[in-house]
Amino acid sequence: MTVFNNNKVVLAYSGGLDTSVIIAWLKEKYGLETIAVLVDAGRARGLEELRQKALAIGAAEAIVVDAREEFAHDFVLPALMANALYEEKYPLVSALSRPLISKVLVDVAHKSGAGSVAHGCTAKGNDQVRFDLGIRALDPELKILAPAREWGMTREEALSYAATREIPVALTKGAPYSIDENLWGRAIECGPLEDPWEAPPDDAFSVTVSPYEAPDEGAGMEIEFAGGEPVAAGGKVLPTVDLIGEIDRVAGAHGFGRVDMVENRLVGIKSREIYEAPGALALILAHRELEDMVLPRELSHFKRLAEQKFTDMAYNGGWFDPLMDALRAFMEETQARVTGTVRLEFFRGACRVSGRKSPYSLYDFGLATYGGGDAFSHSAAKGFCNLYGLPLEVWAKKRTLDSGH
Ligand code: ARG
């Protein structure tokens, strides 16, 4: 029998099958009293109902934490500043919320005096790594329980466990997916999606229409940034949470924002993943475009290397690693002049940039033009080429001496 500091455990509860069963299981197996915590990181529905359900199953306490603002400011915006796309495609939807939820769990544990925290992740995913590492980084003294990793129940077994204990389970016949969603997008797995050749059925999506059903008329949208943060969309100045919602709405209505990929998980598995994240993908596209206009070359090129490291660290559960603090500081430092406007055009599943402007633009018409008013020094270019190509020329002159020829 495991030894606990006390009999209280704080559970990251989603209201789904596994975390519902966990409340009962922790009580039966370890005699633990559960404090169920529902974290709202955006797109949450029926929270009060789910809270009541946790109590009905036997949780000692059930609380809802509205963490949308914190999620937007401390997790989503840093990821946007880093243009974070794992394997160039996935905007880290779940990877960003796990460290947030870890933080909430640890806070609740400290306030309630609980000695352990629990999550519902299985052994096969990245999320277990993100929770385990996040919690250990924030408080190494807390004991971490991951019942779904321990019990080895199949979905059928979990269902019958729930049935024998009268744990209500939402009927999932029509929707065989495992879905995780928050402000930054939705991740959809399982069911027919496990066959990488099978096209994702339309019922997997809820914020984007099929590009085939998108209107014939496209839509333009201007996104304004100040210091790297998006502040307005389509002429509306909105707080970050609402701004993302507004872009989701417009982009999604034009069928933009679906991702279908085979992804390398940290635990060694390749998995087929479907995401829909119209707002996130449009914002990253616009933000990167603005950076291309205002960041000087060396900074821009180096930033891409740092972005990749940032993204991999976040994906792999390293959000609270000291390297991430340093990378976040670097990203922040690069954003001072990322101020300006990008025009996006949505049309039938696509999103294109059609214009950009900034008071900090480094685009200089006089230097760039091929027409009249050219201010570029053509004579300096000749000398530049001479010296820049010098080592290559010296090397080429020795080619005749190459061995064997
Ligand atoms: N593969 C994605 C990731 O690792 C999505 C995970 C979704 N999580 C879930 N519990 N359904 O971030």
Side-chain angles (χ1 to χ4, degrees):
M1 186 70 164
T2 327
V3 181
F4 296 99
N5 283 346
N6 56 41
N7 66 339
K8 278 196 212 168
V9 56
V10 180
L11 167 69
Y13 166 75
S14 69
L17 173 65
D18 283 347
T19 56
S20 298
V21 164
I22 285 171
I23 296 174
W25 192 86
L26 285 171
K27 199 176 215 169
E28 279 177 33
K29 173 126 181 164
Y30 296 122
L32 289 172
E33 227 178 63
T34 298
I35 303 174
V37 183
L38 272 157
V39 179
D40 181 1
R43 267 184 240 283
R45 283 173 299 265
L47 286 168
E48 180 52 26
E49 209 178 305
L50 295 173
R51 198 183 76 79
Q52 292 299 336
K53 177 175 150 181
L55 295 171
I57 298 166
E61 264 180 75
I63 56 175
V64 172
V65 176
D66 180 353
R68 287 174 296 173
E69 286 291 321
E70 184 179 1
F71 185 54
H73 288 99
D74 298 348
F75 297 85
V76 167
L77 287 180
L80 174 60
M81 288 180 185
N83 298 312
L85 289 175
Y86 182 66
E87 296 184 338
E88 264 114 63
K89 295 178 187 143
Y90 164 47
L92 296 183
V93 176
S94 307
L96 294 177
S97 72
R98 272 39 185 178
L100 166 83
I101 299 169
S102 301
K103 191 161 170 278
V104 174
L105 293 178
V106 172
D107 286 348
V108 174
H110 289 167
K111 282 189 196 124
S112 63
S116 20
V117 291
H119 61 73
C121 302
T122 66
K124 295 180 78 168
N126 297 312
D127 288 333
Q128 57 170 339
V129 184
R130 299 167 183 152
F131 277 125
D132 281 24
L133 269 63
I135 293 158
R136 282 162 69 195
L138 294 168
D139 184 352
E141 302 303 320
L142 284 170
K143 186 172 170 55
I144 302 170
L145 296 166
R149 191 165 59 189
E150 209 180 300
W151 66 33
M153 278 193 245
T154 61
R155 191 170 166 82
E156 283 68 35
E157 286 160 355
L159 280 168
S160 80
Y161 186 99
T164 53
R165 286 156 186 84
E166 289 175 19
I167 296 171
V169 175
L171 270 187
T172 53
K173 248 203 149 143
Y177 310 111
S178 157
I179 296 170
D180 183 50
E181 53 191 326
N182 61 49
L183 181 66
W184 208 221
R186 302 174 76 239
I188 309 124
E189 300 171 326
C190 299
L193 306 175
E194 287 181 352
D195 176 355
W197 180 244
E198 193 72 38
D202 266 341
D203 68 353
F205 300 100
S206 78
V207 272
T208 56
V209 303
S210 158
Y212 290 103
E213 271 140 41
D216 291 335
E217 290 279 293
M221 183 181 234
E222 290 182 6
I223 315 250
E224 285 165 53
F225 292 88
E229 297 186 8
V231 291
K236 295 182 210 167
V237 177
L238 294 167
T240 313
V241 171
D242 303 323
L243 188 90
I244 296 168
E246 174 67 8
I247 306 172
D248 269 337
R249 192 180 61 74
V250 175
H254 288 274
F256 173 73
R258 296 183 174 186
V259 177
D260 180 343
M261 69 188 283
V262 173
E263 170 180 308
N264 289 294
R265 287 191 188 167
L266 179 61
V267 291
I269 301 168
K270 276 193 194 290
S271 66
R272 198 281 185 89
E273 304 278 339
I274 301 296
Y275 302 106
E276 60 176 349
L281 294 170
L283 275 168
I284 292 170
L285 183 70
H287 179 260
R288 172 167 275 173
E289 189 66 27
L290 186 57
E291 286 192 331
D292 286 346
M293 182 170 244
V294 302
L295 296 186
R297 182 181 64 195
E298 297 309 318
L299 179 54
S300 173
H301 288 186
F302 181 79
K303 183 168 182 284
R304 290 193 182 220
L305 306 177
E307 286 173 356
Q308 164 119 37
K309 188 66 187 170
F310 176 103
T311 304
D312 289 348
M313 291 290 293
Y315 183 87
N316 292 335
W319 188 264
F320 298 110
D321 192 291
L323 173 57
M324 280 300 264
D325 292 333
L327 286 171
R328 273 189 294 269
F330 169 79
M331 298 300 166
E332 187 83 39
E333 169 73 23
T334 62
Q335 298 299 296
R337 295 188 185 189
V338 185
T339 294
T341 306
V342 177
R343 192 191 321 110
L344 300 177
E345 312 266 352
F346 299 103
F347 181 62
R348 298 222 155 188
C351 175
R352 263 182 293 273
V353 174
S354 68
R356 68 294 273 156
K357 61 180 178 185
S358 166
Y360 298 106
S361 172
L362 301 179
Y363 175 87
D364 183 323
F365 181 83
L367 291 178
T369 184
Y370 285 94
D374 183 1
F376 187 78
S377 168
H378 291 242
S379 57
K382 186 167 185 252
F384 170 76
C385 292
N386 267 340
L387 295 188
Y388 188 62
L390 188 59
L392 186 58
E393 181 184 321
V394 172
W395 171 84
K397 283 182 175 156
K398 300 284 173 172
R399 190 182 277 133
T400 49
L401 300 180
D402 282 351
S403 60
H405 297 284

